[in-house]
Amino acid sequence: MLALALAAPFGLAGCADVLIGAATTTGLAIAEERTVGNAFKDLSIQTELNHLFFQDDLDLYTDVSISVVEGRVLLMGSVPTYEDRSRAGWVARQATRAEEVINELQVTGDGGILNYAKDRWISLLLDAQLLLDLDILSVNYDIETVNSTIYLIGIAQDEEELELVKEHARGIEGVERVVSHVIMKDDPRRPPPPNAR
């Protein structure tokens, strides 16, 4: 997604990246709970958000990590002030097709390369554990770790599956907190299937 955002201001140079992102999105959408149409909608929201943050504030652009699932936007990362946190929420709400913005930005001076490396390792470890657990459809979950807090967004088949995901997350050494914004497969907030009337 970073490649898409960096390429966007430079015109045609970004075309190949957009095509690669679209192809990846199509492949994942076939296997996951989202429809292909909703996956493309999320990709377009993500691209718009990257552009909005890039245009508004380069510091926010680099500090904020974004996940989009069925129009639900989750902001993660750490920013130095509450004004930055509020500003990021405002920028995210400018995305034309975003249906909900969840602002989980931490206001803290913590960070740095060591924290980033530890957080990245936690996310990779959880990704691997979910992939290996045959009782979990791991493709339906987005994971981000910020300052030892794991953030989850996605679509769970049921409460039991989500609890398994949380158990894996809580069992990883160094994890201090697990925050879930996962909704159930049958949640009324989800878009209706394409053939529904």
Side-chain angles (χ1 to χ4, degrees):
M1 298 314 291
L2 181 59
L4 285 174
L6 290 175
F10 303 106
L12 294 177
C15 289
D17 291 321
V18 170
L19 291 175
I20 291 167
T24 302
T25 298
T26 302
L28 286 175
I30 290 169
E32 68 179 289
E33 201 59 51
R34 286 185 297 184
T35 65
V36 172
N38 285 333
F40 272 109
K41 176 185 171 185
D42 290 345
L43 179 62
S44 73
I45 294 169
Q46 181 94 44
T47 304
E48 183 183 5
L49 285 168
N50 286 337
H51 177 72
L52 288 168
F53 275 98
F54 187 86
Q55 294 293 106
D56 185 79
D57 187 320
L58 200 54
D59 288 332
L60 278 182
Y61 174 76
T62 56
D63 289 342
V64 177
S65 176
I66 303 166
S67 284
V68 184
V69 178
E70 294 189 331
R72 300 171 67 234
V73 176
L74 176 59
L75 304 179
M76 299 157 290
S78 56
V79 292
T81 69
Y82 284 98
E83 290 78 12
D84 290 326
R85 185 180 192 276
S86 178
R87 179 75 182 179
W90 179 84
V91 171
R93 286 189 291 275
Q94 304 315 299
T96 52
R97 301 178 75 188
E99 294 171 19
E100 179 183 2
V101 174
I102 305 162
N103 192 341
E104 285 287 358
L105 286 169
Q106 299 178 15
V107 179
T108 176
D110 292 345
I113 192 67
L114 290 178
N115 270 0
Y116 175 80
K118 178 185 173 187
D119 289 342
R120 189 74 188 116
W121 172 249
I122 288 171
S123 293
L124 289 171
L125 195 55
L126 182 55
D127 272 330
Q129 289 182 9
L130 300 190
L131 188 62
L132 293 171
D133 190 327
L134 299 181
D135 292 322
I136 295 171
L137 292 177
S138 61
V139 72
N140 289 322
Y141 295 88
D142 279 357
I143 299 162
E144 181 88 17
T145 307
V146 180
N147 295 322
S148 300
T149 296
I150 294 177
Y151 295 97
L152 304 168
I153 189 170
I155 304 162
Q157 298 301 297
D158 50 40
E159 293 286 353
E160 290 77 12
E161 183 190 66
L162 180 55
E163 191 52 42
L164 272 177
V165 172
K166 291 178 181 176
E167 283 177 21
H168 282 293
R170 288 189 290 256
I172 296 174
E173 185 177 351
V175 171
E176 295 176 5
R177 198 161 62 107
V178 177
V179 177
S180 173
H181 293 285
V182 175
I183 60 175
M184 296 299 112
K185 180 180 177 177
D186 59 357
D187 191 291
R189 289 174 290 176
R190 294 194 62 219
N195 296 328
R197 292 182 181 265

